[in-house]
């Protein structure tokens, strides 16, 4: 029998936002987040972003404890405009050991599509 394709439904536990690492932001995402926060783009860039380690684009900065600067408890304070990288986890990308921290529930892909 072919293996069933699974989609992991996020349970908003916030654990992936506490994982150290870059949260890449595109130009469109920068504009959207700055507008959401009511900040001029330049101010947003200065306050909340830095150059990626590979110098290709920008990442959101982290708090000293390595969680994302926009995490408040377990809530994302920019949820309506959060970057694609955040939306995609853990389905479009993930990191080694992600299943130990992520509380997303696996459901068959067909079930997700049928409910849309
Ligand atoms: S932007 Fe929001 S969803 Fe993305 S890592 Fe930060 S807190 Fe999490
Ligand atoms: S760790 Fe998994 S369940 Fe928790 S917020 Fe991130 S994607 Fe959602």
């Amino acid at each position: 029998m072919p293996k069933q394709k699974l989609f992991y439904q996020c349970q908003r536990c916030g654990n992936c936002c506490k994982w150290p690492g870059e949260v890449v932001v595109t130009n469109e995402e920068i504009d959207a987040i700055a507008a959401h926060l009511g900040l001029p783009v330049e101010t947003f860039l200065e306050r909340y972003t830095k150059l990626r380690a590979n110098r290709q684009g920008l990442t959101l900065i982290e708090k000293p404890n390595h969680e994302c600067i926009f995490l408040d408890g377990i809530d994302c304070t920019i949820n309506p405009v959060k970057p694609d990288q955040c939306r995609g986890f853990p389905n479009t990308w993930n990191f080694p050991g992600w299943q130990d921290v992520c509380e997303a529930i696996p459901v068959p892909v067909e079930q997700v599509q049928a409910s849309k």
Side-chain angles (χ1 to χ4, degrees):
M1 213 172 118
K3 218 174 148 194
Q4 203 170 33
K5 269 194 145 185
L6 296 174
F7 178 85
Y8 288 85
Q9 271 181 340
C10 176
Q11 300 302 302
R12 299 267 175 102
C13 70
N15 288 344
C16 55
C17 311
K18 297 177 185 166
W19 196 262
E22 296 183 336
V23 180
V24 179
V25 277
T26 63
N27 288 342
E28 294 74 26
E29 289 168 345
I30 287 166
D31 289 345
I33 300 169
H36 180 76
L37 295 173
L39 291 174
V41 169
E42 294 308 316
T43 309
F44 168 74
L45 291 174
E46 271 170 37
R47 270 191 211 165
Y48 296 114
T49 67
K50 65 177 186 181
L51 195 61
R52 294 182 65 195
N54 67 5
R55 300 188 181 186
Q56 294 182 357
L58 297 173
T59 171
L60 298 180
I61 57 170
E62 296 177 343
K63 298 179 194 171
N65 65 0
H66 295 300
E67 64 184 42
C68 176
I69 193 72
F70 289 116
L71 188 67
D72 180 14
I74 61 168
D75 296 322
C76 171
T77 56
I78 58 166
N79 192 54
V81 289
K82 66 186 175 188
D84 268 357
Q85 177 178 324
C86 310
R87 289 181 197 286
F89 184 85
N91 293 290
T92 58
W93 72 279
N94 51 55
F95 44 76
W98 69 273
Q99 278 164 310
D100 296 338
V101 298
C102 177
E103 296 180 11
I105 296 174
V107 292
V109 166
E110 304 78 52
Q111 204 172 305
V112 179
Q113 284 164 347
S115 67
K116 276 186 181 167

